[in-house]
Amino acid sequence: MKNLSMSDTKSIPFFFKMQIILLLFVFSAIKVSANGIEPTKDPDVIGRWDITIDKGGKSLPSWLEVQKSGTHTLIGRFVYAFGSARPISEVKVNDSKYSFSIPPQWEEGNRNMDFQFEVSGDKLKGSMVYTDGATYNFTGVRAPLLIRAKNPVWGAPVKLFNGKNVKGWHTDGTNQWIAEAGILRSPHSGANLITDKTFTDFKLHIEFRYPQGSNSGVYLRGRYELQIIDTKSGDPEPINNQFSSIYGFLPPNKMTAKNPGEWQSYDITLVGRMVTIVANGITVISNQVIPGITGGAINSKEGEPGPILIQGDHGPIDYRNIVITPVK
């Protein structure tokens, strides 16, 4: 059969003429593919990274996400050792080296934090110029997906607070926590309280109350902060930082905060990265992915079990009825 030329199509009805043109395009695409021209592969930097910064001998946990915006621009998010996730307007690339800059959030000083790094497979390394002008090195590994192959089978509930003392807990500084009349109290700002035991997946029930304007949080596996804050009468906060949010990442779909001085509750289910939050009896976050660690995390080792950490460095706070149901 001879090949059709465009002049041969003059006597063919318009509908069939369009079909022939489309077929020519398809055959052309197949020919290009056969010649070995493949779609452009995403650079290795795309994805989420668990980072550790060596700052004066201290290991500071951080987190980085890089993604494409359109066809060629790279953007992202960054979480430092404290504060919330910050947007990166552009991750620049020059001769296989990546860089970005973000303004200070809670850091002292006015200069930006500048980052430069290289990626090799599932690892990265680089340096950060801090807001004081000092330079610190960091390393990173690709964050684990934490996808579970099967549904959890829950064990027996365990009381984490016995109502009498802080047995089973330790602090990361000078202890100000006391137990009285079945209530776990931090009467003033001080150290964070951390369980001696660590956990993978679990369900957690916890009750709390705060005075006006106070602030605390419950860190799941010691890495993901569930925010406790006086959203009703305290200082304004971004929606991602308000009561019952996963700090800086996941906002609640409804505000269920009670007035300061009232007892409130969270019921939390954490399986891999998937979290469900029931605040004061109402589901406000339903089976959502926690992208990465939040500011104040104990470390960036997301693939490992971690403790329950209660924030005690932001103001007075009371807790009671802390019960965890770990996965078997």
Side-chain angles (χ1 to χ4, degrees), residues 59 70-71 92 94 107 128 205 212 304 309 325:
S59 295
T71 58
K92 298 179 180 179
N94 183 19
E107 297 81 10
M128 169 191 75
H205 175 83
Q212 186 174 16
E304 297 183 3
L309 181 151
T325 303

Side-chain angles (χ1 to χ4, degrees), residues 128-163:
M128 169 191 75
V129 180
Y130 194 56
T131 56
D132 60 2
T135 299
Y136 303 98
N137 295 325
F138 63 84
T139 57
V141 296
R142 200 173 295 278
L145 296 176
L146 301 181
I147 296 173
R148 305 309 192 211
K150 55 185 179 180
N151 292 330
V153 177
W154 302 112
V158 178
K159 288 185 177 181
L160 292 180
F161 172 52
N162 62 20

Side-chain angles (χ1 to χ4, degrees), residues 14 27 37 79 93 168 175 180 296 300 325:
F14 176 79
F27 291 142
I37 301 175
V79 174
V93 58
N175 179 41
E180 54 183 27
S300 56
T325 303

Side-chain angles (χ1 to χ4, degrees), residues 53-55 60 78 80 86 98-105 107-117 126-138:
I53 299 174
D54 182 4
K55 189 179 180 190
L60 301 184
F78 180 77
Y80 186 52
R86 318 176 194 194
Y98 299 93
S99 64
F100 65 90
S101 182
I102 54 175
Q105 189 181 70
E107 297 81 10
E108 295 182 357
N110 295 318
R111 78 176 309 281
N112 280 7
M113 298 166 68
D114 297 323
F115 296 80
Q116 182 172 302
F117 61 97
S127 61
M128 169 191 75
V129 180
Y130 194 56
T131 56
D132 60 2
T135 299
Y136 303 98
N137 295 325
F138 63 84

Side-chain angles (χ1 to χ4, degrees), residues 232-264:
K232 291 194 73 172
S233 62
D235 293 334
E237 287 277 350
I239 184 63
N240 284 4
N241 300 354
Q242 292 184 15
F243 180 91
S244 70
S245 66
I246 298 297
Y247 186 71
F249 281 128
L250 303 178
N253 59 33
K254 185 175 183 179
M255 185 48 59
T256 63
K258 297 182 181 180
N259 293 320
E262 295 187 59
W263 282 104
Q264 308 190 61

